[in-house]
Amino acid sequence: MLENTLNNIRIVLVETSHPGNIGAAARAMKTMGLDDLVLIQPKDFPSQTATWRAAGASDVVEKARVFEDLSSALADCSLVVAASARQRRIPWPMLEPEESAVKALDFAQEGKVAFVFGREDRGLENEELQLCHYHSAIDGNEAYSVLNLAAAVQVFCYELRKNAVKRFSTESPKLSEGGERPCHLQNWDEQFSDHADMQRFYEHLEQVLVEIDFHDPENPRQLMTRLQRLFNRAHLDVMEMNILRGVLTAVQKLVKR
């Protein structure tokens, strides 16, 4: 069960500039039992440097998948966490690394989960951060809190493995016995919507809001960002998504009369 759950957790690196960091991240992953590495427009890959830095984790590098954009890489994920300490005008739900690991393990028992890491020099852009359900930051020295990319990956992978071992150990009590399992694991009747479904919903929602003159795309005033934060926080399941899409379609029919 531990291996199956960790296999559902994806590490995503966005526009990594140095191939050595890809290899070092792969090594950090493999030491903790993760092997699903995804790269978004890496500057230099494939690369012998990446393979060399991976050492015994070259297999993780060799099977890494490359995508042109972050949204495509997250399409099948039901939970996405951004590793970012970046301050935003509109704050996003924040988790400590251990909290993010616990939540990720909940969702990874049922579907795919992604942890997203940004560029070495400037991290993740606002548009990329908005694709994630939660943000998580490593609490470091306030005077100098900048971690190397692979070091950050190692911290999150360590928290994932530590909590997975704790959860699935035969010597540890099950979460259900303590009554601490999150509601979506307590006989929830539907699967949760994945990233691709959510993006289609946001596109549909914006279209309808424009049609009813509630939303002006030329003067958005953060409306869609706030609505995206709202529905990400609610974490819709498939049935709830279908209901909302049905409501939007019904509104469109009324508008056209």
Side-chain angles (χ1 to χ4, degrees):
M1 188 66 174
L2 183 151
E3 289 78 11
N4 291 338
T5 301
L6 292 179
N7 286 342
N8 274 338
I9 299 176
R10 180 176 304 158
I11 300 298
V12 182
L13 308 183
V14 177
E15 293 185 8
T16 311
S17 59
H18 195 289
N21 286 329
I22 296 174
R27 187 172 183 176
M29 291 170 60
K30 188 168 184 177
T31 60
M32 297 297 133
L34 285 79
D35 64 0
D36 187 2
L37 175 61
V38 165
L39 310 173
I40 311 299
Q41 294 190 27
K43 301 300 182 183
D44 182 10
F45 188 84
S47 166
Q48 289 184 345
T49 301
T51 302
W52 173 73
R53 284 291 301 276
S58 59
D59 57 321
V60 177
V61 173
E62 290 168 1
K63 71 175 186 178
R65 292 170 291 154
V66 178
F67 287 81
E68 285 298 311
D69 63 89
L70 180 58
S71 187
S72 298
L74 303 176
D76 60 343
C77 295
S78 57
L79 179 71
V80 183
V81 178
S84 174
R86 182 174 177 178
Q87 298 297 316
R88 297 171 47 82
R89 180 192 300 180
I90 299 178
W92 225 250
M94 288 289 299
L95 298 173
E96 294 291 332
E98 183 168 16
E99 292 176 320
S100 70
V102 170
K103 188 170 289 290
L105 292 169
D106 292 337
F107 280 84
Q109 292 181 62
E110 302 174 347
K112 297 293 184 181
V113 172
F115 280 78
V116 182
F117 297 81
R119 303 155 187 84
E120 293 97 329
D121 58 345
R122 64 183 191 279
L124 294 164
E125 305 289 353
N126 282 339
E127 294 78 9
E128 295 161 341
L129 289 167
Q130 288 169 199
L131 298 178
C132 306
H133 294 92
Y134 299 95
H135 299 169
S136 185
I138 298 168
D139 186 15
N141 177 10
E142 292 184 3
Y144 186 72
S145 59
V146 181
L147 271 73
N148 171 269
L149 174 60
V153 172
Q154 185 76 79
V155 170
F156 281 92
C157 289
Y158 167 72
E159 290 293 350
L160 286 163
R161 183 166 189 83
K162 179 187 73 176
N163 285 282
V165 169
K166 184 188 303 183
R167 176 172 303 196
F168 298 117
S169 170
T170 56
E171 298 178 0
S172 298
K174 301 295 184 182
L175 282 180
S176 58
E177 295 174 4
E180 298 176 356
R181 296 182 77 184
C183 64
H184 77 275
L185 290 181
Q186 295 176 359
N187 299 317
W188 200 258
D189 58 340
E190 295 287 341
Q191 289 187 332
F192 283 82
S193 299
D194 60 24
H195 175 81
D197 286 336
M198 292 302 298
Q199 294 311 301
R200 286 189 287 269
F201 167 68
Y202 293 136
E203 291 171 3
H204 193 182
L205 176 61
E206 182 170 19
Q207 179 185 354
V208 173
L209 293 177
V210 171
E211 290 176 7
I212 64 175
D213 294 326
F214 187 85
H215 172 51
D216 180 4
E218 300 300 323
N219 185 28
R221 294 180 299 178
Q222 303 290 336
L223 174 64
M224 293 310 301
T225 299
R226 290 186 179 277
L227 288 174
Q228 187 167 342
R229 180 180 65 171
L230 167 65
F231 286 110
N232 277 353
R233 193 165 68 243
H235 224 112
L236 303 175
D237 67 29
V238 172
M239 180 62 72
E240 293 163 342
M241 172 68 66
N242 289 338
I243 292 171
L244 288 174
R245 293 292 298 273
V247 171
L248 293 176
T249 299
V251 170
Q252 287 178 304
K253 290 179 180 178
L254 289 174
V255 171
K256 292 177 181 178
R257 286 183 180 179

